[in-house]
Amino acid sequence: MGVDKNAQVAVLKYVSLVTLTVQNSAVALSMRYARTRPGDMFIASSAVVMAELVKMFASLFLVFKQEGSIQHLFMALHTQIWQQKIDTLKVCVPSFVYLVQNNLLYVSASNLDAATYQVTYQMKILTTAMFAVLILQKQLRGTQWLSLLILTVGVALVQLSASSKGVTTDNMGQNRLLGCIAAISACCCSGFAGIYFEKILKGSDVSLWVRNVQLSFLSLPLGVLTSYANDYSAIMDKGFFYGYDAYVWYLVVLNAVGGLLVAMVVKYADNILKGFATSLAIVISTVASVFLFDFVITFQFAVGTALVIGSIFLYSHEPKKAPSNPMMKAL
């Protein structure tokens, strides 16, 4: 039974990592296209709220499948959410931070090309490591700190290569500085929320999907308030679902799936393996952006991207331990 359980965890780990790679690439390209395509522009904050709603219903369905009946579903929610109020309140912190992060990502995607957006957002590896040291008291090797420095240099090269180019027709109306600031802020949110969520996820017996229900329950009111605070006039004049079509709903579902996948990766894998998934997503989205958005890969951009990807692999590398010497032990 122990072997079967370990095998199941291993399958879940790699399936979630592969799926997260595809989802990250799809989000980078899809968000870019959704915010720059012709036609009525949907309200970004409303899409964030709807993604949380979709994620909540998906999590409730998974809890239902886990418990086996509606009655057991409500019992599990009552026991693990209502009766453990303090524990539930702890989830308020990542809920709010994730909400801010999602809104920042829309701003970033609207002002950066898909490849630059994806590479810049990889600075979340740096912020995640920093918060892991501060919150989880994690010890980092010298090679891991070196990888973080290489990551910073790589992202800087990407930004310099993008800013040195002339403004093209596709980039008209974009504010690259705003997009960069939004991406870096989203990285900080991602790092803090991810480590905090990992701490409460692995530090209790509450199931993964119940945790996601908690996140959504708390994020939805915050999301609605944020949406009306930022876009009150637009919502009142045009409606909450203004500009929605099949493609926007696809984007909503895609972001909801991303939230579920991140939780699975944190539960069944770790942040190091997650780095492999995001590094592969960089390559996929960069190659795809050449064909979809006429993105031109310069030498400087290629070097920056290579440094980012290399730093992720260097951070993930664990040196082999030297074999113990029986003679030394005897001495």
Side-chain angles (χ1 to χ4, degrees), residues 210-277:
V210 171
R211 281 297 188 202
N212 273 288
V213 172
Q214 289 177 317
L215 280 170
S216 296
F217 269 141
L218 297 166
S219 296
L220 278 171
L222 291 173
V224 172
L225 289 173
T226 303
S227 180
Y228 276 88
N230 293 337
D231 303 301
Y232 179 80
S233 59
I235 293 174
M236 291 293 100
D237 294 340
K238 302 175 181 178
F240 193 79
F241 296 103
Y242 176 78
Y244 273 59
D245 57 13
Y247 187 85
V248 177
W249 282 112
Y250 147 77
L251 191 62
V252 166
V253 173
L254 186 64
N255 277 282
V257 169
L260 297 175
L261 286 173
V262 167
M264 286 187 66
V265 169
V266 170
K267 177 71 174 180
Y268 297 112
D270 53 44
N271 287 319
I272 293 176
L273 288 176
K274 184 181 173 185
F276 284 97

Side-chain angles (χ1 to χ4, degrees), residues 10-25:
V11 170
L12 287 170
K13 176 171 68 175
Y14 290 111
V15 167
S16 62
L17 283 166
V18 171
T19 310
L20 182 65
T21 302
V22 176
Q23 191 269 346
N24 273 5
S25 303

Side-chain angles (χ1 to χ4, degrees), residues 20-146:
L20 182 65
T21 302
V22 176
Q23 191 269 346
N24 273 5
S25 303
V27 165
L29 298 168
S30 300
M31 286 177 66
R32 168 69 176 170
Y33 175 72
R35 302 299 292 168
T36 58
R37 63 180 181 152
D40 295 331
M41 184 70 70
F42 67 97
I43 302 172
S45 60
S46 72
V48 174
V49 173
M50 295 312 300
E52 282 296 331
L53 187 63
V54 170
K55 190 180 79 171
M56 184 188 71
F57 281 118
S59 299
L60 284 170
F61 175 75
L62 291 168
V63 175
F64 166 73
K65 294 290 290 184
Q66 200 173 49
E67 297 297 329
S69 68
I70 295 292
Q71 182 181 1
H72 288 147
L73 165 66
F74 283 106
M75 287 176 61
L77 294 178
H78 181 265
T79 302
Q80 298 185 50
I81 296 179
W82 181 251
Q83 290 186 351
Q84 300 182 32
K85 297 180 180 65
I86 301 299
D87 186 67
T88 300
L89 288 174
K90 292 179 182 178
V91 189
C92 286
V93 177
S95 295
F96 177 74
V97 177
Y98 277 132
L99 183 69
V100 174
Q101 174 194 333
N102 287 335
N103 282 280
L104 287 170
L105 288 179
Y106 273 104
V107 175
S108 177
S110 300
N111 290 280
L112 296 174
D113 57 79
T116 305
Y117 158 81
Q118 182 72 356
V119 175
T120 305
Y121 190 46
Q122 297 316 307
M123 283 187 68
K124 63 187 176 181
I125 299 289
L126 171 62
T127 58
T128 299
M130 291 173 60
F131 284 113
V133 171
L134 293 173
I135 297 176
L136 300 180
Q137 304 298 313
K138 184 174 182 179
Q139 299 294 321
L140 294 179
R141 300 184 301 274
T143 54
Q144 290 178 315
W145 285 115
L146 176 62

Side-chain angles (χ1 to χ4, degrees), residues 122-309:
Q122 297 316 307
M123 283 187 68
K124 63 187 176 181
I125 299 289
L126 171 62
T127 58
T128 299
M130 291 173 60
F131 284 113
V133 171
L134 293 173
I135 297 176
L136 300 180
Q137 304 298 313
K138 184 174 182 179
Q139 299 294 321
L140 294 179
R141 300 184 301 274
T143 54
Q144 290 178 315
W145 285 115
L146 176 62
S147 72
L148 299 178
L149 178 61
I150 295 173
L151 173 63
T152 305
V153 174
V155 173
L157 284 175
V158 169
Q159 288 301 312
L160 289 173
S161 67
S163 61
S164 63
K165 295 185 295 183
V167 178
T168 63
T169 304
D170 291 339
N171 293 331
M172 285 296 185
Q174 294 183 353
N175 187 331
R176 294 195 61 82
L177 178 61
L178 177 62
C180 183
I181 292 173
I184 294 173
S185 300
C187 289
C188 294
C189 291
S190 175
F192 175 77
I195 293 299
Y196 189 93
F197 185 57
E198 180 179 348
K199 184 177 181 179
I200 62 177
L201 185 64
K202 293 181 176 178
S204 69
D205 296 327
V206 179
S207 75
L208 173 65
W209 308 123
V210 171
R211 281 297 188 202
N212 273 288
V213 172
Q214 289 177 317
L215 280 170
S216 296
F217 269 141
L218 297 166
S219 296
L220 278 171
L222 291 173
V224 172
L225 289 173
T226 303
S227 180
Y228 276 88
N230 293 337
D231 303 301
Y232 179 80
S233 59
I235 293 174
M236 291 293 100
D237 294 340
K238 302 175 181 178
F240 193 79
F241 296 103
Y242 176 78
Y244 273 59
D245 57 13
Y247 187 85
V248 177
W249 282 112
Y250 147 77
L251 191 62
V252 166
V253 173
L254 186 64
N255 277 282
V257 169
L260 297 175
L261 286 173
V262 167
M264 286 187 66
V265 169
V266 170
K267 177 71 174 180
Y268 297 112
D270 53 44
N271 287 319
I272 293 176
L273 288 176
K274 184 181 173 185
F276 284 97
T278 53
S279 64
L280 182 57
I282 296 172
V283 178
I284 295 172
S285 61
T286 302
V287 173
S289 65
V290 173
F291 301 98
L292 297 177
F293 303 116
D294 297 324
F295 179 78
V296 178
I297 298 179
T298 64
F299 176 75
Q300 193 172 8
F301 184 92
V303 172
T305 303
L307 287 175
V308 170
I309 296 174

